[in-house]
Amino acid sequence: MSSSVSCKTMANAVRALAMDAVQKANSGHPGMPMGMADIAVALWTKHLRHNPADPHWLGRDRFLLSNGHGSMLQYALLHLSGYDLTIDDLKNFRQLHSKTPGHPEVGVTPGVETSTGPLGQGIANAVGMALAEKMLAAEFNTEDCTIIDNYTYAFLGDGCLMEGISHEACSLAGIWKLNKLIALYDDNGISIDGKVENWYAENVRERFESYGWNVIGPIDGHDVEAVSDAIALAKKSDKPTLIDCKTVIGFGSPNRAGTNKAHGSPLGEEEIAAAREAIGWEYGPFEIPQEIYDAWDAKAAGKAMEDEWQAKYDAYRARYPEKAAELERRLSGELPENWDDIVFDAIVQAAGEAKTVATRKASQMALNAFAPALPELLGGSADLTSSNLTNWEGVQALRPDNMLGRHINYGVREFGMCAIMNGIALYGGFIPYGATFLTFADYARNALRMAALMKIRSIFVFTHDSIGVGEDGPTHQPVEHTASLRIIPGMDVWRPADTCETLTAWASAIERKDGPTSLILSRQNLPFVEREEYNADEMAQGGYIMLEAPEGAASVQVTLLASGSEVALAAEARKQLLAMNIQTRLVSMPSTTVFDRQPQEYKDFVLGAGKPVVAIEAATSDIWWKYIRGAGTVIGMNTFGESAPAGELFKLFGFTVDNVVATVQQLLNQGK
């Protein structure tokens, strides 16, 4: 830091850029950046290990802006410290295709570690990153070489702490003793509706202490040295730390500071001029003197930090070549060289055994087949391991004193689980999966959406997938949930019919690098569906001809299309239709999302262009109509379920062989 530029001046540069960018965009949130600018100076210039020239350097500290509406704070910091983010990028704040979107987006802006905005998920992602760091350190560090050794810093505000997900994630952080997680709390007492004391009055210190956190403060969040000292103290703790920083939202704005008017709208030209005068900022819009740039510039220091770490890593690689190669493989996201053989052998074995099992059990069979070869596979359940079957033979549980465990007990925390998984996936080195009942996917919905938005490799396992849940009743019968997951852009959804399809679904999820996957699995046993061949490549296309009409493609009179538990039902109906001399093709579609990406020629080939299609799924019917050709129909549900044994419910709602056969007959008679 240049001795000629004070910390206050450096903070005022952040304030000015935030005011100017929000004003030019006529949209945004200036209050938080103005209030947290001093905290940012303390962290970014005195503690944060980062290199603007290499935003993906493994040895860097991670910085997450959980209160992502204050994105101009992060953009100003990235610009001033030397990242590839120009003053023109800041002028383009919140504009189409800019590198400075309204909320931080990973993959768009260099130096942004995760996409934030939905409050609370940033701190949950930070918990996941801190957990990944601690686990990789336990696995790869040696007594003489510490190569995984970074802090995870998160800025967060009252909104993040009001959201329930912060409770879910921070509670686990305390249990796991994630001592390299340091959260700096913008304690300004203001939210959109005004003073939070009227709706947020809990004792934050006692709350976090009860989680097992170290709590520092309240301290003056506008005292750079006090904040820096608190961070230094936090680094000595054996617990995660919350630093409570008392701040004034919109600091420097004479008429809006300390009020909700500073939160989410431009200050206006007159107020900005008054704020410039109040903080002693003599420069025009987007004007930063070179001496202030020099004070903020982190390129030289960052290069020195990375060079020092790289020398240490080079020594590690020379001394432990196998460990280094394995770490590099996992961080690159590549799978073991014999992966294809492992998948092939597992499918061949499953086809030979032809077991009648629930697909949740088939999923556990897949884990037993794949997990021993994939040390990066890191799974868990939201207190439903014995129902979700997400552990495998010989797996150890993750515990504070056993960071080599690969099965996580998340407790009843579906949302926190999924957002923590996203943080793990973003850090790298692991392929995380987590499970709950499908009906509880709604609790985690926004984390699922964020995984898709960020295009990350998280695997969400949902069991108890239909009215087949039975006596638990409509509160636990997920009628609409599979369809709701399928409409998330970028989310692959698999609902397999038997062991072979379940293995294929798991393999596809593990192999996928460009987005998340949801696996939808049955509670009840499903018959193994016999077919002439078990082609993994066909199954992996999402939809395929499982059983062709005996007289060939040209003879097809109707195509039965089904997923999951309804495929075996369709296979039985096909037998009766064939006995009636109705040439019937059976198409299994374990993944509509993957099938929809196939070439049109393949889709026409599978569905039979112009031929009637009857789609069958024990769920809402809407999504299946796009596959109906000719005089087809859908056998589905448009109501909630009932509380009764599963067999009675399938009869009640028409998921029977007799109803499928009668529906086909009616269609064909109409055609005549």
Side-chain angles (χ1 to χ4, degrees), residues 338-351 369-370 503:
N338 63 338
W339 170 249
D340 289 341
D341 293 335
I342 293 170
V343 175
F344 177 81
D345 292 344
I347 292 176
V348 169
Q349 180 177 344
F370 298 154
L503 286 160

Side-chain angles (χ1 to χ4, degrees), residues 35-205:
M36 293 196 79
D38 301 296
I39 301 170
V41 171
L43 175 61
W44 278 65
T45 67
K46 297 176 181 292
H47 295 277
L48 191 70
R49 290 172 53 82
H50 66 119
N51 182 4
D54 187 1
H56 303 293
W57 158 46
L58 176 60
R60 72 193 183 280
D61 290 335
R62 274 41 170 198
F63 172 76
L64 296 86
L65 195 72
S66 189
N67 41 355
H69 55 272
S71 57
M72 263 311 302
L73 173 69
Q74 187 164 17
Y75 299 150
L77 294 170
L78 293 169
H79 168 71
L80 291 167
S81 58
Y83 285 78
D84 183 19
L85 199 68
T86 67
I87 197 70
D88 287 335
D89 290 322
L90 269 56
K91 291 177 180 178
N92 210 23
F93 178 54
R94 288 189 162 222
Q95 304 309 300
L96 184 64
H97 304 316
S98 75
K99 292 167 70 174
T100 49
H103 293 83
E105 295 183 37
V106 67
V108 173
T109 313
V112 169
E113 302 280 3
T114 184
S115 298
T116 55
L119 293 175
Q121 288 198 64
I123 183 61
N125 293 164
V127 172
M129 290 187 185
L131 177 62
E133 188 274 342
K134 191 168 186 177
M135 295 183 72
L136 285 178
E139 185 174 358
F140 288 99
N141 287 351
T142 62
E143 290 186 3
D144 57 338
C145 287
T146 301
I147 53 166
I148 306 294
D149 183 23
N150 69 268
Y151 285 90
T152 300
Y153 297 99
F155 282 5
L156 71 165
D158 290 310
C160 295
L161 296 187
M162 280 188 265
E163 288 285 0
I165 188 175
S166 67
H167 162 72
E168 297 182 23
C170 293
S171 175
L172 284 169
I175 291 168
W176 293 331
K177 298 185 185 302
L178 302 181
N179 60 301
K180 290 186 178 177
L181 172 61
I182 300 174
L184 293 110
Y185 167 34
D186 181 26
D187 186 3
N188 61 37
I190 295 293
S191 66
I192 293 174
D193 282 354
K195 293 183 178 181
V196 301
E197 62 189 20
N198 296 304
W199 48 84
Y200 181 60
E202 64 207 52
N203 188 314
V204 173
R205 166 179 282 277

Side-chain angles (χ1 to χ4, degrees), residues 8 39 60 78 101 118 137 186 204 215 228 230 237 273-274 276 291 308 315 319 326 354 388 480 487 578 582 634 642:
K8 188 60 67 177
I39 301 170
R60 72 193 183 280
L78 293 169
D186 181 26
V204 173
V215 180
S228 179
S237 177
R276 275 180 152 77
E291 63 177 4
E308 180 184 2
R319 200 169 303 169
E326 174 66 4
N388 300 146
E480 76 278 20
I487 63 173
L578 292 177
I582 298 174
V634 178
E642 299 279 354

Side-chain angles (χ1 to χ4, degrees), residues 350-382:
E353 294 175 345
K355 288 185 176 180
T356 292
V357 294
T359 49
R360 61 174 173 152
K361 181 61 179 178
S363 171
Q364 189 175 50
M365 293 164 59
L367 289 172
N368 282 325
F370 298 154
L374 295 173
E376 60 264 49
L377 201 59
L378 175 62
S381 175

Side-chain angles (χ1 to χ4, degrees), residues 467-586:
I467 55 172
V469 171
E471 294 88 343
D472 276 341
T475 61
H476 282 57
Q477 293 166 7
V479 173
E480 76 278 20
H481 297 72
T482 302
S484 76
L485 293 173
R486 287 172 175 146
I487 63 173
I488 298 176
M491 174 71 74
D492 275 0
V493 180
W494 289 82
R495 186 172 182 252
D498 58 16
T499 52
C500 284
E501 287 191 1
T502 305
L503 286 160
T504 300
W506 261 108
S508 297
I510 289 168
E511 291 166 9
R512 188 180 186 211
K513 286 185 175 183
D514 62 350
T517 301
S518 290
L519 304 178
I520 314 297
L521 307 169
S522 74
R523 172 183 184 265
Q524 74 276 22
N525 288 342
L526 304 183
F528 187 84
V529 184
E530 298 286 351
R531 48 265 208 197
E532 294 180 2
E533 62 177 348
Y534 303 90
N535 189 317
D537 290 337
E538 284 190 352
M539 287 188 283
Q541 289 177 288
Y544 65 103
I545 299 173
M546 179 178 265
L547 291 167
E548 183 58 281
E551 295 180 10
S555 72
V556 172
Q557 295 172 267
V558 66
T559 294
L560 297 181
L561 170 63
S563 80
S565 52
E566 287 66 67
V567 173
L569 165 65
E572 288 300 312
R574 175 180 175 274
K575 289 179 182 178
Q576 288 200 18
L577 291 167
L578 292 177
M580 299 164 64
N581 200 31
I582 298 174
Q583 292 295 303
T584 306
R585 168 186 289 172
L586 173 59

Side-chain angles (χ1 to χ4, degrees), residues 236-419:
K236 298 176 182 178
S237 177
D238 61 353
K239 304 174 182 179
T241 296
L242 179 76
I243 303 175
D244 184 346
C245 303
K246 285 288 186 181
T247 62
V248 176
I249 191 171
F251 183 91
S253 171
N255 300 300
R256 294 197 176 188
T259 74
N260 57 331
K261 292 181 179 180
H263 175 81
S265 60
L267 298 181
E269 298 290 356
E270 290 186 10
E271 185 65 15
I272 289 176
R276 275 180 152 77
E277 183 176 353
I279 64 176
W281 190 257
E282 301 173 351
Y283 314 104
F286 297 101
E287 181 185 348
I288 305 293
Q290 188 59 47
E291 63 177 4
I292 296 178
Y293 275 123
D294 293 342
W296 269 106
D297 192 348
K299 293 192 291 294
K303 182 179 186 304
M305 290 177 188
E306 182 171 357
D307 288 347
E308 180 184 2
W309 180 89
Q310 188 62 50
K312 187 184 298 185
Y313 186 75
D314 290 342
Y316 175 85
R317 184 193 285 120
R319 200 169 303 169
Y320 305 103
E322 291 183 1
K323 289 176 77 74
E326 174 66 4
L327 176 61
E328 290 168 15
R329 177 191 72 78
R330 285 169 54 174
L331 290 171
S332 72
E334 296 299 322
L335 298 174
E337 290 184 2
N338 63 338
W339 170 249
D340 289 341
D341 293 335
I342 293 170
V343 175
F344 177 81
D345 292 344
I347 292 176
V348 169
Q349 180 177 344
E353 294 175 345
K355 288 185 176 180
T356 292
V357 294
T359 49
R360 61 174 173 152
K361 181 61 179 178
S363 171
Q364 189 175 50
M365 293 164 59
L367 289 172
N368 282 325
F370 298 154
L374 295 173
E376 60 264 49
L377 201 59
L378 175 62
S381 175
D383 202 48
L384 289 167
T385 301
S386 60
S387 293
N388 300 146
L389 304 181
T390 47
N391 52 357
W392 64 88
E393 293 176 9
V395 67
Q396 298 180 42
L398 175 79
R399 295 292 184 264
D401 58 353
N402 181 21
M403 282 288 148
L404 296 177
R406 287 294 175 266
H407 185 267
I408 302 177
N409 300 104
Y410 283 101
V412 187
R413 299 181 178 95
E414 297 88 356
F415 194 5
M417 172 181 71
C418 294

